[in-house]
mmCIF file of all heavy atoms in Angstrom:
data_model
loop_
_atom_site.group_PDB
_atom_site.id
_atom_site.type_symbol
_atom_site.label_atom_id
_atom_site.label_comp_id
_atom_site.label_asym_id
_atom_site.label_seq_id
_atom_site.Cartn_x
_atom_site.Cartn_y
_atom_site.Cartn_z
ATOM 1 N N TYR A 93 -2.898 0.810 7.866
ATOM 2 C CA TYR A 93 -2.052 1.888 7.349
ATOM 3 C C TYR A 93 -1.512 1.541 5.964
ATOM 4 O O TYR A 93 -1.517 0.379 5.537
ATOM 5 C CB TYR A 93 -0.881 2.150 8.299
ATOM 6 C CG TYR A 93 0.118 1.018 8.378
ATOM 7 C CD1 TYR A 93 1.254 0.997 7.570
ATOM 8 C CD2 TYR A 93 -0.077 -0.050 9.253
ATOM 9 C CE1 TYR A 93 2.166 -0.045 7.627
ATOM 10 C CE2 TYR A 93 0.824 -1.103 9.324
ATOM 11 C CZ TYR A 93 1.940 -1.090 8.512
ATOM 12 O OH TYR A 93 2.835 -2.127 8.565
ATOM 13 N N ALA A 94 -1.052 2.583 5.271
ATOM 14 C CA ALA A 94 -0.409 2.385 3.972
ATOM 15 C C ALA A 94 0.567 3.532 3.720
ATOM 16 O O ALA A 94 0.296 4.682 4.096
ATOM 17 C CB ALA A 94 -1.451 2.340 2.847
ATOM 18 N N PHE A 95 1.694 3.189 3.099
ATOM 19 C CA PHE A 95 2.665 4.192 2.654
ATOM 20 C C PHE A 95 2.482 4.414 1.156
ATOM 21 O O PHE A 95 2.225 3.465 0.408
ATOM 22 C CB PHE A 95 4.091 3.722 2.943
ATOM 23 C CG PHE A 95 4.504 3.863 4.383
ATOM 24 C CD1 PHE A 95 4.072 2.954 5.343
ATOM 25 C CD2 PHE A 95 5.323 4.908 4.777
ATOM 26 C CE1 PHE A 95 4.454 3.075 6.668
ATOM 27 C CE2 PHE A 95 5.715 5.043 6.106
ATOM 28 C CZ PHE A 95 5.270 4.128 7.060
ATOM 29 N N HIS A 96 2.642 5.653 0.714
ATOM 30 C CA HIS A 96 2.419 6.003 -0.686
ATOM 31 C C HIS A 96 3.558 6.875 -1.199
ATOM 32 O O HIS A 96 4.006 7.797 -0.499
ATOM 33 C CB HIS A 96 1.109 6.788 -0.853
ATOM 34 C CG HIS A 96 -0.060 6.189 -0.137
ATOM 35 N ND1 HIS A 96 -0.866 5.214 -0.698
ATOM 36 C CD2 HIS A 96 -0.559 6.421 1.115
ATOM 37 C CE1 HIS A 96 -1.817 4.889 0.169
ATOM 38 N NE2 HIS A 96 -1.649 5.597 1.270
ATOM 39 N N ASP A 97 4.015 6.585 -2.386
ATOM 40 C CA ASP A 97 4.965 7.454 -3.087
ATOM 41 C C ASP A 97 4.151 8.522 -3.799
ATOM 42 O O ASP A 97 3.354 8.220 -4.694
ATOM 43 C CB ASP A 97 5.777 6.643 -4.100
ATOM 44 C CG ASP A 97 6.838 7.473 -4.793
ATOM 45 O OD1 ASP A 97 6.791 8.723 -4.720
ATOM 46 O OD2 ASP A 97 7.710 6.871 -5.451
ATOM 47 N N GLU A 98 4.320 9.773 -3.406
ATOM 48 C CA GLU A 98 3.480 10.839 -3.960
ATOM 49 C C GLU A 98 3.795 11.137 -5.419
ATOM 50 O O GLU A 98 3.038 11.857 -6.079
ATOM 51 C CB GLU A 98 3.580 12.096 -3.102
ATOM 52 C CG GLU A 98 3.105 11.862 -1.683
ATOM 53 C CD GLU A 98 2.645 13.121 -0.972
ATOM 54 O OE1 GLU A 98 3.510 13.948 -0.616
ATOM 55 O OE2 GLU A 98 1.428 13.274 -0.769
ATOM 56 N N ALA A 99 4.882 10.601 -5.938
ATOM 57 C CA ALA A 99 5.189 10.768 -7.359
ATOM 58 C C ALA A 99 4.524 9.692 -8.215
ATOM 59 O O ALA A 99 4.456 9.820 -9.441
ATOM 60 C CB ALA A 99 6.698 10.737 -7.584
ATOM 61 N N ALA A 100 4.034 8.631 -7.577
ATOM 62 C CA ALA A 100 3.399 7.547 -8.334
ATOM 63 C C ALA A 100 2.044 7.994 -8.859
ATOM 64 O O ALA A 100 1.300 8.703 -8.174
ATOM 65 C CB ALA A 100 3.244 6.318 -7.452
ATOM 66 N N ARG A 101 1.713 7.556 -10.066
ATOM 67 C CA ARG A 101 0.452 7.945 -10.699
ATOM 68 C C ARG A 101 -0.504 6.760 -10.711
ATOM 69 O O ARG A 101 -0.141 5.662 -11.137
ATOM 70 C CB ARG A 101 0.695 8.411 -12.139
ATOM 71 C CG ARG A 101 1.464 9.724 -12.235
ATOM 72 C CD ARG A 101 1.785 10.045 -13.683
ATOM 73 N NE ARG A 101 2.435 11.334 -13.807
ATOM 74 C CZ ARG A 101 1.848 12.428 -14.317
ATOM 75 N NH1 ARG A 101 0.602 12.344 -14.755
ATOM 76 N NH2 ARG A 101 2.498 13.564 -14.393
ATOM 77 N N MET A 102 -1.726 6.992 -10.275
ATOM 78 C CA MET A 102 -2.749 5.954 -10.352
ATOM 79 C C MET A 102 -3.156 5.727 -11.797
ATOM 80 O O MET A 102 -3.215 6.664 -12.601
ATOM 81 C CB MET A 102 -3.989 6.353 -9.544
ATOM 82 C CG MET A 102 -3.838 6.206 -8.055
ATOM 83 S SD MET A 102 -5.454 6.326 -7.226
ATOM 84 C CE MET A 102 -4.919 6.277 -5.521
ATOM 85 N N LYS A 103 -3.446 4.477 -12.119
ATOM 86 C CA LYS A 103 -3.969 4.130 -13.432
ATOM 87 C C LYS A 103 -5.488 4.265 -13.403
ATOM 88 O O LYS A 103 -6.153 3.637 -12.560
ATOM 89 C CB LYS A 103 -3.566 2.709 -13.814
ATOM 90 C CG LYS A 103 -2.058 2.533 -13.982
ATOM 91 C CD LYS A 103 -1.716 1.101 -14.369
ATOM 92 C CE LYS A 103 -0.224 0.928 -14.559
ATOM 93 N NZ LYS A 103 0.124 -0.468 -14.938
ATOM 94 N N VAL A 104 -6.019 5.071 -14.316
ATOM 95 C CA VAL A 104 -7.433 5.440 -14.278
ATOM 96 C C VAL A 104 -8.116 5.101 -15.595
ATOM 97 O O VAL A 104 -7.565 5.351 -16.679
ATOM 98 C CB VAL A 104 -7.593 6.947 -13.981
ATOM 99 C CG1 VAL A 104 -9.062 7.364 -14.015
ATOM 100 C CG2 VAL A 104 -6.980 7.293 -12.631
ATOM 101 N N ILE A 105 -9.316 4.548 -15.493
ATOM 102 C CA ILE A 105 -10.200 4.363 -16.649
ATOM 103 C C ILE A 105 -11.349 5.345 -16.511
ATOM 104 O O ILE A 105 -11.965 5.454 -15.447
ATOM 105 C CB ILE A 105 -10.748 2.928 -16.716
ATOM 106 C CG1 ILE A 105 -9.631 1.946 -17.077
ATOM 107 C CG2 ILE A 105 -11.890 2.810 -17.732
ATOM 108 C CD1 ILE A 105 -10.060 0.495 -17.047
ATOM 109 N N ILE A 106 -11.627 6.074 -17.587
ATOM 110 C CA ILE A 106 -12.771 6.984 -17.617
ATOM 111 C C ILE A 106 -13.877 6.338 -18.442
ATOM 112 O O ILE A 106 -13.617 5.817 -19.533
ATOM 113 C CB ILE A 106 -12.392 8.354 -18.216
ATOM 114 C CG1 ILE A 106 -11.286 9.016 -17.384
ATOM 115 C CG2 ILE A 106 -13.614 9.271 -18.284
ATOM 116 C CD1 ILE A 106 -10.758 10.310 -17.989
#
Side-chain angles (χ1 to χ4, degrees):
Y93 67 94
F95 283 78
H96 313 273
D97 184 345
E98 299 204 288
R101 292 174 176 252
M102 284 193 185
K103 295 180 179 180
V104 177
I105 290 175
I106 300 174

